[in-house]
């Protein structure tokens, strides 16, 4: 049952934090990932004040007391959940309250398939609960319960009381701020509205509302908004001008991968911000307090400039960590911005123009201090002598040796990947034994009756893998064969023909219902750079596991647990992982977030400190979308957590698996060339035409270099 629980839990959590997620995207080339601080003195001090259990379902500041409502086991039935009501007074210590009424209301809701509770505490100290429950029946329809709590007893209501509680619990309310007797809401149509205590529209001047922003919290003086640049801004009630409170600079809003979930504002405008991931069970929730310190000195650690082609979450995590620990201002820019166009990721800007400009700067002894070399000609930059030796900044002893040595020359190290994408097989040992290599996997896929994700299939009949389109199928196997297909940029026709024929057999067999896609006609396919990855690829229906270049080893552990449950039926199965290899023994682990220092860096010391921070345990243990860690302790930590969260275990030495894999450097241009030919062939074209398309696309790219 848990495989369905996770799917529903993630969906509800995404709805709960949707506006916050939207506010985290869209940094342009001219903006810094972490902006400099303007004050000479004074600033907000960030403190982690998370209670013991911290999946938050309600955060409120009433008088001089902060209240946090949390639940354990949020992905389960209401009867399996445990609620905590924490209160923090002026002494700064949490005290757990015993009268939340949760046990009482859970008994009234009864056994259910899934339940999402939400608490609301009024300024008068009145506590209410809303519970959305899904029964384990054929329809899986949701049912909503409302409760009022008094003296620890929960009384069921037909509807929430009028006023702020009704507004807060309305299904269309996406954000709410209590501003004295005025209540502000943002509805599902992204309209900012003002209401009085009687739930009637209030006459109040409001600013134009940006749908990418999130309404966080308020008090009698005004309200706070989380904008699309990752800043928290304050509006005076009844006004349209704003001041920036937290600018995403000195104390940017925590780590990549987390979004603002809730907030409250207490005495002296102290802000409390709850951060969380979209997975209800990922354990990453953190409650931060931001209090103003007028004597806080300005940063004095200098400045470092960082450049990449694509936005990189690990870079942003390191920038945030370095500013906090050393006061170094990080000015991060990236050349190419992602936009959504017809549900496809498209790039704004030219990779070739960006590389030409960067090369000119480096050869002239200028340019940014730190370079993130993803999708750049790293070997060429090393040969030109424009990269500095970073071996003194980062010890490679604790990193995966197969990745740490790629750009080592003697004792000098010129570049290091801070993340990687391993192509893995994961399931129970019995299932893995039936798939010794990629060719066998291809045969199994071809023998399946249907690989389409759009086909509803009972759990007992799930295929080995399932896909939405042929692009995802291509990306299951291409990384393993890329080095053989392309030799010095030239197409190896026999190898490419054999590869296409293997894919063709799969489509003729189990993949006949897969959609053809136009992804390969642009450099924005599912594999065009590590940030995008192939998130929906290699999906075993609700399991989302089995074979994928994964973002998080935590997720791998959980996913393998699910798939093992399907395969073995055991209560607590052992999930195993191995490298997906070809029959010839070729595996693939792709370096990501490849860091280097400009030999002519203006701020050499700060640049070395930045690279050192990229490989720190603090940054490596963060879950980001640009790959898994390369620090062994962080790898093991994520792996262990992924299983322990669900009471499962694994006999796999994940570090040993990753150390034994062969590094492969992807080329977006050559991948696009091979993909265009594959797209034509899988859509019914001839093998000769497909080969000719791939050859011409590659020759055109080589001629432009």
């Amino acid at each position: 049952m848990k495989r369905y629980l996770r799917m529903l839990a993630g969906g509800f959590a995404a709805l709960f934090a949707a506006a916050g997620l939207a506010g985290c995207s869209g940094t342009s080339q001219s903006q810094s990932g972490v902006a400099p601080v303007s004050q000479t003195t004074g600033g907000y001090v960030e403190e982690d004040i998370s209670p013991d259990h911290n999946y938050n379902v309600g955060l409120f500041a009433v008088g001089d007391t902060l209240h946090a409502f949390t639940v354990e086991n949020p992905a389960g039935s209401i009867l399996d959940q445990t609620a905590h009501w924490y209160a923090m007074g002026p002494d700064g210590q949490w005290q757990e309250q015993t009268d939340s009424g949760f046990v009482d209301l859970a008994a009234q809701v009864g056994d259910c398939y899934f339940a999402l509770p939400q608490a609301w505490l009024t300024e008068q100290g009145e506590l209410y609960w809303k519970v959305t429950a899904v029964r384990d029946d054929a329809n899986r329809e949701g049912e909503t319960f409302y409760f009022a709590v008094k003296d620890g007893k929960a009384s069921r209501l037909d509807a929430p009381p009028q006023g702020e509680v009704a507004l807060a619990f309305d299904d269309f309310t996406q954000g709410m701020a209590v501003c004295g007797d005025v209540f502000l809401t943002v509805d599902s149509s992204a309209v900012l509205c003002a209401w009085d205590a009687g739930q009637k529209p209030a006459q109040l001047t409001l600013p134009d509302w940006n749908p990418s922003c999130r309404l966080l919290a308020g008090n009698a003086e005004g309200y706070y908004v989380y904008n699309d640049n990752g800043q928290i801004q304050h509006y005076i009630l009844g006004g349209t001008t704003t001041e920036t409170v937290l600018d995403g600079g000195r104390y940017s809003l925590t780590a990549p991968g987390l979004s603002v979930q809730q907030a409250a504002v207490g005495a002296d405008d102290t802000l409390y911000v709850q951060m969380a991931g979209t997975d209800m069970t990922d354990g990453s929730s953190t409650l931060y307090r931001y209090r103003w310190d007028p004597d806080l000195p300005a940063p004095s650690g200098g400045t470092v400039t960082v450049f990449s082609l694509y936005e990189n979450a690990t870079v942003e995590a390191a920038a945030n960590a370095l500013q906090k620990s050393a006061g170094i201002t990080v000015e991060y820019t990236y050349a190419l911005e992602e936009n959504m166009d017809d549900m496809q990721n498209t790039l704004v800007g030219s990779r070739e123009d960006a590389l030409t400009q960067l090369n000119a700067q480096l050869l002239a002894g200028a340019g940014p201090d730190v370079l993130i070399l993803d999708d750049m000609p790293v070997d060429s930059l090393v040969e030109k002598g424009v990269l500095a030796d970073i071996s003194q900044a980062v010890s490679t002893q604790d990193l995966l040796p197969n990745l740490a040595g790629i750009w080592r020359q003697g004792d000098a190290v010129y570049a290091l990947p801070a993340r990687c994408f391993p192509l893995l097989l994961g399931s129970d040992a019995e299932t893995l034994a039936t798939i010794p290599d990629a060719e066998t996997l291809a045969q199994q896929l071809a023998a399946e009756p249907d690989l389409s994700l759009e086909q509803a299939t009972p759990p007992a009949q799930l295929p080995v893998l399932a896909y939405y389109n042929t692009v995802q199928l291509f990306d299951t196997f291409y990384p393993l064969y890329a080095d053989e297909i392309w030799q010095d940029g030239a197409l190896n026709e026999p190898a490419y023909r054999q590869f296409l024929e293997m894919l063709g057999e799969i489509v003729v067999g189990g993949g006949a219902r897969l959609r053809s896609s136009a992804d390969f006609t642009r450099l924005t396919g599912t594999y065009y750079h590590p940030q995008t990855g192939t998130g929906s690829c290699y999906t075993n229906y609700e399991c989302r596991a089995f074979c994928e270049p994964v973002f998080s080893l935590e997720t791998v552990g959980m996913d393998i647990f699910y798939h093992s449950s399907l395969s073995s039926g055991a209560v607590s199965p052992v999930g195993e992982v191995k490298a997906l290899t070809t029959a010839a023994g070729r595996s693939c682990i792709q370096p990501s977030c490849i860091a280097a220092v400009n030999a002519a860096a203006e701020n050499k010391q700060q640049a070395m400190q930045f690279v050192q921070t990229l490989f720190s345990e603090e940054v490596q243990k963060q879950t980001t979308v640009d790959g898994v860690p390369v620090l062994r302790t962080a790898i093991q930590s994520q792996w262990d957590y992924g299983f322990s969260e669900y009471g499962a275990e694994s006999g796999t030495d994940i570090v040993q698996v990753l150390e034994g894999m062969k590094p492969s450097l992807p080329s977006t241009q050559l991948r696009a060339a091979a993909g265009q030919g594959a797209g034509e062939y899988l859509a019914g074209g001839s093998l000769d035409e497909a080969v000719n398309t791939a050859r011409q696309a590659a020759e055109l790219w080589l001629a432009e270099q």
Side-chain angles (χ1 to χ4, degrees), residues 24-324:
C24 293
S25 62
T27 307
S28 68
Q29 180 181 355
S30 62
Q31 293 171 329
S32 295
V34 181
V37 175
S38 59
Q39 308 102 312
T40 55
T41 60
Y44 277 87
V45 176
E46 178 190 83
E47 301 163 294
D48 183 345
I49 60 168
S50 303
D52 292 339
H53 302 285
N54 194 34
Y55 181 79
N56 192 281
V57 294
L59 185 68
F60 310 94
V62 178
D64 58 359
T65 301
L66 178 69
H67 300 264
F69 294 85
T70 71
V71 296
E72 295 182 62
N73 192 28
S77 166
I78 194 79
L79 296 177
D80 297 328
Q81 298 180 16
T82 301
H84 302 273
W85 178 2
Y86 297 100
M88 176 188 289
D91 63 357
Q93 301 299 313
W94 288 113
Q95 298 292 331
E96 186 162 0
Q97 312 299 298
T98 59
D99 51 356
S100 70
F102 191 83
V103 173
D104 192 21
L105 69 86
Q108 296 180 61
V109 173
D111 191 23
C112 56
Y113 171 69
F114 167 79
L116 177 66
Q118 180 183 350
W120 189 267
L121 188 66
T122 70
E123 288 291 320
Q124 292 73 39
E126 300 166 331
L127 175 60
Y128 298 88
W129 286 91
K130 173 184 176 182
V131 178
T132 303
V134 179
R135 302 294 181 190
D136 193 7
D137 54 28
N139 295 326
R140 295 279 167 81
E141 293 182 354
E143 184 178 3
T144 302
F145 299 81
Y146 302 98
F147 298 92
V149 178
K150 186 175 183 179
D151 298 328
K153 299 295 183 181
S155 302
R156 184 174 177 183
L157 308 174
D158 294 332
Q162 291 296 302
E164 66 173 286
V165 183
L167 291 169
F169 285 166
D170 191 290
D171 291 337
F172 295 99
T173 297
Q174 299 296 307
M176 182 167 172
V178 178
C179 305
D181 295 330
V182 175
F183 311 119
L184 300 182
T185 63
V186 174
D187 62 21
S188 57
S189 299
V191 177
L192 179 64
C193 305
W195 311 87
D196 61 22
Q199 204 175 340
K200 296 180 179 179
Q203 298 301 315
L204 190 68
T205 301
L206 297 172
D208 294 333
W209 187 253
N210 182 341
S212 297
C213 294
R214 174 78 183 266
L215 180 61
L216 293 180
N219 55 19
E221 286 73 41
Y223 53 98
Y224 294 82
V225 172
Y226 180 49
N227 70 14
D228 56 356
N229 288 325
Q231 302 169 328
I232 290 184
Q233 296 181 313
H234 180 250
Y235 286 83
I236 300 296
L237 197 62
T240 58
T241 58
T242 181
E243 64 172 340
T244 298
V245 178
L246 294 174
D247 65 358
R250 195 170 187 184
Y251 292 104
S252 63
L253 289 170
T254 71
L258 299 184
S259 62
V260 173
Q261 183 190 34
Q262 298 185 73
V265 53
D268 300 323
D269 292 329
T270 297
L271 284 173
Y272 303 95
V273 181
Q274 179 73 44
M275 305 294 294
T278 56
D279 188 332
M280 295 184 71
T281 56
D282 68 358
S284 62
S285 296
T286 308
L287 176 58
Y288 289 92
R289 175 171 58 197
Y290 294 89
R291 58 179 178 82
W292 179 260
D293 181 353
D295 300 320
L296 193 69
S300 57
T303 301
V304 62
T305 56
V306 182
F307 172 81
S308 62
L309 284 178
Y310 312 104
E311 184 181 9
N312 189 286
T314 303
V315 169
E316 292 168 346
N320 185 46
L322 187 61
Q323 285 213 169
K324 292 178 181 179

Side-chain angles (χ1 to χ4, degrees), residues 37 62 137 202 222 333 396 413 431 611:
V37 175
V62 178
D137 54 28
T333 58
T396 60
V413 176
T431 302
V611 172

Side-chain angles (χ1 to χ4, degrees), residues 22 107 110 128 164-165 214 216 230 285 329 338 361-362 368 383 419 458 500 510 569-570 605 654 704:
Y128 298 88
E164 66 173 286
V165 183
R214 174 78 183 266
L216 293 180
S285 296
T329 298
E338 289 183 65
Q361 291 176 338
L362 295 176
E383 292 172 2
R419 300 279 167 173
L500 292 183
Q605 179 182 350
I654 186 62
E704 294 174 347

Side-chain angles (χ1 to χ4, degrees), residues 583-595:
R586 187 185 304 106
S587 59
C588 177
I589 183 169
Q590 296 186 353
S592 175
C593 191
I594 304 166

Side-chain angles (χ1 to χ4, degrees), residues 505-632:
E505 291 174 1
I506 296 173
V507 170
V508 170
R513 284 172 45 87
L514 294 181
R515 298 194 304 264
S516 296
S517 173
D519 286 356
F520 290 122
T521 63
R522 56 177 105 176
L523 289 180
T524 52
T526 56
Y527 220 77
Y528 83 91
H529 75 85
Q531 179 84 0
T532 299
T534 51
S536 61
C537 193
Y538 320 132
T539 305
N540 197 321
Y541 283 75
E542 290 85 358
C543 299
R544 216 196 129 230
F546 196 69
C547 168
E548 63 174 324
V550 290
F551 297 151
S552 166
L553 287 172
E554 297 175 8
T555 304
V556 177
M558 298 175 190
D559 289 340
I560 293 170
F561 169 73
Y562 286 125
H563 189 85
S564 297
S565 297
L566 287 177
S567 302
S568 66
V571 175
S572 182
V574 177
E576 308 293 351
V577 151
K578 66 179 182 180
L580 177 61
T581 64
T582 66
R586 187 185 304 106
S587 59
C588 177
I589 183 169
Q590 296 186 353
S592 175
C593 191
I594 304 166
V597 170
N598 184 354
E602 182 178 348
N603 307 291
K604 181 70 71 67
Q605 179 182 350
Q606 289 82 2
M608 293 295 179
Q609 286 180 269
F610 180 85
V611 172
Q612 191 175 54
T613 304
L614 273 175
F615 295 89
S616 67
E617 196 155 301
E618 174 189 358
V619 172
Q620 285 283 299
K621 282 188 175 181
Q622 294 189 30
T623 296
T624 59
V625 298
D626 52 334
V628 302
V630 296
L631 181 67
R632 298 185 209 192

